[in-house]
Amino acid sequence: MTEVDQNPSNAISLDFHVDPQFVNRTLASQSLGVDQDLPLGRLADNITEELLSRRVVDLRVAAIKGELGSVRHQIVRLRSAMYFKYLLDGSRERCRFHYNIGVDDGVKLNVTGFFDPARFEATSPRDNLSRQRHVYVAGIATAVNEEQLSVEVRPLLIGFPYFVPSGSESGLLSAGHRSELHYSYVDQFRLTDSDMMTAASNDEIQRLFRMSEAEVKKAFASILGVSLGRVHASEGVVDEGEGDE
């Protein structure tokens, strides 16, 4: 799904994707008409494409415009930090997510919701959706309080948002198909909520693409406080020139 349009003065265009952690297939099919039997990654792409084509409202935008009343019982979307907490157990277990989202100076929108962890399609989402995470949420606004600026969402999709160059095979780049640690989990990056909600500019992306692989590895090693000798060793490469001192 293309969410960042191509700049005529720049050759780079980005597609928006979601690495799905939770999907309510039945609700997604009923609300958006997507094929609920698709593989998880393709299903998430179809959901985000439908949300874009339907111009589904962003909850933050609705709050800023004073239009929260219009989203009641409608499909909504949001990219934000969320706190996740598991309640009860067994067949009654539910996961609650919530966050007070800054929408203006001194004004916050409270978003909350629940979902059934039994719908997880793997074991990793239980750990991935725990404590505070920056996620993309799409679902139905089941309850809205305009005076208190609060919305309860019944989610149909929760996952980690990411951008890739247009035309890339999202399945190859999706975090769910590789052994990797999501950047939001790395404390050394010191990423704020604002950092994780802001897409990189075209100039920043071009600067990154001009960097060699060696420069990128050195930058990450410096941020993480590890030597390149250890990085190379983890890849099965011995670099005697940059080992531990």
Side-chain angles (χ1 to χ4, degrees):
M1 177 176 76
T2 301
E3 194 163 272
V4 178
D5 293 331
Q6 181 171 323
N7 183 334
S9 64
N10 237 302
I12 295 176
S13 177
L14 297 178
D15 286 347
F16 174 74
H17 295 276
V18 175
D19 177 21
Q21 301 299 306
F22 168 84
V23 177
N24 184 328
R25 290 176 176 267
T26 302
L27 184 59
S29 177
Q30 292 173 345
S31 303
L32 297 170
V34 296
D35 182 356
Q36 63 179 311
D37 295 323
L38 287 171
L40 189 59
R42 286 184 58 197
L43 177 59
D45 280 346
N46 280 17
I47 290 172
T48 52
E49 287 169 4
E50 281 294 322
L51 296 174
L52 177 64
S53 66
R54 296 179 184 218
R55 299 184 182 276
V56 168
V57 67
D58 185 296
L59 276 179
R60 187 181 281 104
V61 174
I64 291 173
K65 291 183 175 181
E67 299 175 350
L68 275 183
S70 66
V71 307
R72 187 179 285 107
H73 305 309
Q74 301 299 311
I75 305 172
V76 295
R77 62 187 176 90
L78 180 71
R79 274 191 287 160
S80 173
M82 286 287 168
Y83 287 106
F84 293 87
K85 183 177 182 179
Y86 293 86
L87 309 170
L88 305 178
D89 53 23
S91 62
R92 300 172 59 208
E93 184 183 28
R94 294 295 181 270
C95 182
R96 178 176 184 257
F97 60 93
H98 67 98
Y99 202 73
N100 288 318
I101 301 161
V103 295
D104 205 345
D105 291 340
V107 178
K108 292 189 175 182
L109 170 68
N110 178 262
V111 176
T112 187
F114 296 85
F115 63 85
D116 184 356
R119 292 182 180 274
F120 285 153
E121 299 185 29
T123 57
S124 56
R126 181 176 288 273
D127 290 330
N128 294 344
L129 298 184
S130 62
R131 299 177 296 278
Q132 182 177 327
R133 295 288 186 264
H134 178 76
V135 293
Y136 181 90
V137 178
I140 309 296
T142 55
V144 177
N145 188 315
E146 296 180 77
E147 292 184 359
Q148 297 184 8
L149 285 181
S150 66
V151 179
E152 183 170 332
V153 177
R154 182 188 179 194
L156 59 86
L157 170 66
I158 302 176
F160 300 125
Y162 66 100
F163 292 86
V164 297
S166 294
S168 299
E169 290 293 333
S170 63
L172 297 178
L173 296 170
S174 169
H177 295 270
R178 298 184 298 174
S179 298
E180 68 175 22
L181 182 68
H182 196 267
Y183 64 82
S184 64
Y185 300 166
V186 183
D187 293 339
Q188 290 92 330
F189 288 160
R190 296 184 176 88
L191 295 173
T192 66
D193 290 344
S194 177
D195 291 331
M196 293 189 288
M197 289 188 287
T198 304
S201 68
N202 283 332
D203 287 341
E204 290 171 329
I205 294 171
Q206 285 191 334
R207 187 164 70 251
L208 176 62
F209 285 177
R210 286 195 295 267
M211 294 177 68
S212 67
E213 182 177 351
E215 290 176 309
V216 173
K217 287 183 177 179
K218 286 182 180 178
F220 275 110
S222 176
I223 293 170
L224 298 175
V226 299
S227 71
L228 278 181
R230 290 182 178 178
V231 173
H232 291 158
S234 69
E235 299 173 341
V237 177
V238 177
D239 188 342
E240 297 180 354
E242 297 196 64
D244 294 334
E245 294 182 358

